[in-house]
Amino acid sequence: MTRPTRCPAYLDRASSPRARTRCTRRIGLRMVLVLLGFLAIPVSAFAHPVILITYTASFRFDSNELQGFTETWWFDQVHSQQILQMFDANHNGQIDPGELPALKAGYFEDLRDYNFFSSVVLNGKAIPTKAVADFSARFENHTMVYRFFVPLKIPVAASEQELDLTVWDPTYFTDLSPRGSDPFTLDKPAPVAATVSTADDHRHFYHIAPDIVIMKKPPFYLKMIVVRFKKAG
């Protein structure tokens, strides 16, 4: 026997006031439980990106190690103008060398708490990204461009190793997507054998939107950059 979808006492005016009150309370409780269920979903589940960034990554080797990788970010034009207005102190339409430290401190260094949006995994083990080098910023073609180097210093061994890089914002405030048709490159000498490709990152969702949580649609995974490398020969 199936239960009625609604409480008869709630609709039946002939029911006693006590019965209608009990029914109303049950319906109210169900509504509260549903609301609490929504509140239990992380805020990021309903977040939508506000900042749009396209990026490239270049992985640098020498004969003995993977030294690290260089990322270049291109901000959307609306946010680019906002960054320029905040840090172009002399209003010449550029980020001059004297203005760069303030920009880095005010609009980049805080990303340390988020691994600078660069999630690195070596042979299945996460490597925190807590330091970068050679940070620069320039404004060209109405676009703010960041560039920085993430040092790794991973020895190249005879057996193959795998480095996975996922460029993403765990708060979903920023959308980061690869730029152009060939966004990932290798800078390596002959003694190193290496390849670069992409794959689904099953550790991270691209976006946990309401249609995934509520409508049970399959998740859309982020793309990760996969670098496999070893000694040549």
Side-chain angles (χ1 to χ4, degrees):
M1 182 179 68
T2 59
R3 295 182 179 181
T5 56
R6 61 183 65 183
C7 182
Y10 183 73
L11 301 175
D12 187 359
R13 295 183 180 180
S15 301
S16 67
R18 179 177 297 180
R20 290 200 300 271
T21 299
R22 286 199 304 266
C23 182
T24 303
R25 286 175 178 173
R26 286 199 297 271
I27 292 175
L29 177 60
R30 290 171 187 168
M31 294 178 66
V32 169
L33 291 174
V34 170
L35 178 60
L36 289 175
F38 276 99
L39 293 177
I41 299 173
V43 174
S44 60
F46 297 94
H48 291 277
V50 175
I51 303 171
L52 304 179
I53 294 175
T54 57
Y55 70 92
T56 61
S58 179
F59 298 84
R60 184 196 306 170
F61 292 83
D62 64 16
S63 299
N64 299 308
E65 64 182 14
L66 170 54
Q67 296 178 321
F69 56 89
T70 298
E71 284 187 41
T72 307
W73 296 355
W74 287 261
F75 286 82
D76 66 85
Q77 291 191 2
V78 171
H79 206 71
S80 294
Q81 289 290 343
Q82 293 174 350
I83 299 173
L84 186 68
Q85 290 173 8
M86 286 189 291
F87 298 102
D88 179 20
N90 60 8
H91 307 292
N92 67 346
Q94 298 292 330
I95 298 297
D96 296 329
E99 297 163 341
L100 186 62
L103 185 153
K104 182 181 180 183
Y107 223 79
F108 183 71
E109 285 291 350
D110 59 331
L111 298 183
R112 185 186 310 275
D113 295 335
Y114 304 99
N115 291 305
F116 296 98
F117 293 166
S118 302
S119 174
V120 178
V121 175
L122 176 65
N123 301 323
K125 183 179 179 179
I127 301 176
T129 306
K130 297 303 181 185
V132 302
D134 303 328
F135 174 81
S136 66
R138 67 182 188 275
F139 188 77
E140 60 182 22
N141 298 323
H142 309 288
T143 303
M144 187 64 66
V145 183
Y146 283 8
R147 178 171 291 176
F148 56 94
F149 181 73
V150 177
L152 294 173
K153 295 189 177 298
I154 300 169
V156 177
S159 58
E160 185 177 78
Q161 301 184 79
E162 179 177 314
L163 181 121
D164 303 328
L165 169 63
T166 305
V167 181
W168 75 305
D169 176 4
T171 70
Y172 299 100
F173 191 78
T174 307
D175 179 88
L176 297 105
S177 58
R179 183 181 182 88
S181 59
D182 189 23
F184 313 128
T185 59
L186 301 173
D187 178 8
K188 66 179 187 65
V192 175
T195 61
V196 61
S197 60
T198 60
D200 286 341
D201 183 352
H202 290 269
R203 293 178 292 266
H204 303 115
F205 293 110
Y206 172 72
H207 197 247
I208 311 177
D211 58 349
I212 295 174
V213 177
I214 300 169
M215 299 174 66
K216 308 301 183 184
K217 289 186 177 181
F220 180 64
Y221 293 106
L222 286 163
K223 289 294 183 183
M224 66 180 180
I225 310 161
V226 180
V227 179
R228 294 184 174 91
F229 60 98
K230 64 179 182 178
K231 289 282 189 182

